[in-house]
Structures are given as structure tokens and as C-alpha cells.
Amino acid sequence: SQTIHQWPATLVQPVGSPLSLECTVEGTSNPNLYWYRQAAGRGLQLLFYSVGIGQISSEVPQNLSASRPQDRQFILSSKKLLLSDSGFYLCAWWTGGGYGYTFGSGTRLTVV
Amino acid sequence: GENVEQHPSTLSVQEGDSAVIKCTYSDSASNYFPWYKQELGKGPQLIIDIRSNVGEKKDQRIAVTLNKTAKHFSLHITETQPEDSAVYFCAAFTSGNTPLVFGKGTRLSVIA
């Protein structure tokens, strides 16, 4: 079956520290992968998406970067976190075929 | 590009009543419209979707209608239950690898 794993579930990091969030997908190949951020009580903001290994599209200029070192792995990074980076980060995948995205369970990041 | 407007932003209904959430889209080329339910602290989950060649789709207490001419689609929940309380997002998809465009969400509260 197709599953998506996202970790960690929660993270508290000091301002200026680095960040690495990982997302992996199982049971599918060559998926499109997405990183979204959701501020408290707000909508889904698309940060990055990838249609293949090494291919990253950035939707919003910011303090974050993304990488896709393997077909089913998507990583969200920051060299130095800001307070404004706090939020709920969601990874999603899509294999086309007219079905909606499948979201991971999310990582709640609090920058202190 | 595509723009999706979602209304209302909050909705309170009595248990057993119906709830309707409406979305409009701007790109007439959009052809796939999924709806997601997000419970507190979790990732959004696909609950129903509709394609542009269909006017209505039902799944038990949930239905979605699409009016291509007016470029709007709606989610209908009948006989609401407390467990229907969540944030609901609509989205629109155009083609290829372009990401889904989400509405800003509707917070539904079902009052027992």
C-alpha cells in the first residue's frame, strides 16, 4: 500500500538553529512531492514542490530550502531558523491519475 | 494562474442540520476538484472529489456539486454529526504538474 512518513511530529528549535524535516513515500514511484506550511488557524501555503529527483520549484521566497536526493525522499531545510518559521509543516505526494494529494501527518515546528 | 475562493470561513450548525461550503475558481481549464477534511493536529484527508465531466457526486452523507458555467463547486454535508467538526478545504487542479490550488478553508463546528 502507499504510505507517507513525516518526522518528527513535533519540534522545538531556538532561533538561528538549523532545520531538517524529512518526508518519505512508500509504495509508489516517481511521485510529485510537496511541502506546505500552515500557520495556526490559517490555510495551506505551498512552499516547494518537486516532479523528480533534483528538481525543486520554489513558490515563496523565504528562509527555507528543499531537496530531493532520492525518488521518494523530500527534505525541507533551513540554515538559520527565524521566529516566523514556526508553523505546521505538511508533506504531500501525488502520482497523477486524477487523484488528490495524500498528506503526511505533519510536523509542528515551534521556533523559540 | 488559478485562484480559488472559499466561503464561509467559519460555519456553525446544529447536529442533524446540513452544512454547505462553497468555492469558486477562476481558470476555466481546471478539471478536477477535491475536498479535504483536516482535524486538529492532523494532515488534511481527501474526503470526496469531482471531475469536470460530472455535475454531482455523492458518498453517504457527503456530496459535491459542480457548475462549470458559473465556475463554482460546493460541498454538502447532511445530517451533521459532532465528528464532522473540522476545517474543510476545497481545491482546483488544471493540468500536468501544476500544483493544486487550495481555498483558505472553512472551520465547521457541529453543535450537539
Side-chain angles (χ1 to χ4, degrees):
Chain A
S1 63
Q2 298 159 332
T3 57
I4 181 169
H5 300 281
Q6 214 183 315
W7 67 91
T10 60
L11 192 58
V12 180
Q13 293 283 99
V15 169
S17 64
L19 173 74
S20 180
L21 300 181
E22 188 166 343
C23 172
T24 60
V25 180
E26 295 179 0
T28 186
S29 60
N30 197 31
N32 285 8
L33 296 171
Y34 306 86
W35 278 112
Y36 285 86
R37 178 169 62 197
Q38 192 174 28
R42 305 292 291 275
L44 299 163
Q45 180 188 30
L46 179 62
L47 301 176
F48 302 95
Y49 70 97
S50 171
V51 301
I53 296 174
Q55 300 178 60
I56 307 295
S57 296
S58 174
E59 291 293 302
V60 182
Q62 61 222 321
N63 185 41
L64 303 169
S65 62
S67 62
R68 186 170 177 175
Q70 300 179 43
D71 181 45
R72 287 170 282 183
Q73 184 185 31
F74 204 22
I75 298 172
L76 183 69
S77 304
S78 174
K79 292 182 179 178
K80 288 186 178 181
L81 283 169
L82 306 172
L83 287 173
S84 57
D85 292 323
S86 294
F88 191 47
Y89 288 81
L90 290 156
C91 180
W93 68 267
W94 181 60
T95 56
Y99 296 98
Y101 294 179
T102 298
F103 284 87
S105 54
T107 294
R108 183 159 306 282
L109 171 66
T110 303
V111 182
V112 296
Chain B
E2 176 64 279
N3 182 52
V4 176
E5 300 282 342
Q6 183 172 347
H7 300 280
S9 57
T10 60
L11 179 61
S12 291
V13 300
Q14 293 289 329
E15 182 178 359
D17 288 349
S18 296
V20 180
I21 302 170
K22 299 181 180 181
C23 289
T24 60
Y25 61 99
S26 61
D27 190 343
S28 58
S30 289
N31 54 31
Y32 174 67
F33 307 92
W35 284 89
Y36 288 84
K37 175 183 181 181
Q38 186 180 26
E39 297 178 339
L40 192 63
K42 298 183 178 179
Q45 282 198 308
L46 179 69
I47 55 172
I48 195 167
D49 55 15
I50 191 167
R51 302 182 189 288
S52 58
N53 59 347
V54 175
E56 182 176 4
K57 184 177 178 180
K58 283 185 177 180
D59 183 3
Q60 299 183 359
R61 297 186 296 108
I62 294 174
V64 57
T65 58
L66 171 65
N67 183 325
K68 287 171 54 180
T69 303
K71 288 189 282 189
H72 67 70
F73 56 111
S74 301
L75 178 70
H76 304 254
I77 306 174
T78 59
E79 300 173 16
T80 53
Q81 301 168 4
E83 52 265 39
D84 294 328
S85 296
V87 178
Y88 292 81
F89 292 97
C90 64
F93 172 76
T94 306
S95 63
N97 288 314
T98 56
L100 279 175
V101 178
F102 285 88
K104 293 189 184 304
T106 296
R107 182 174 299 279
L108 173 64
S109 298
V110 180
I111 304 165

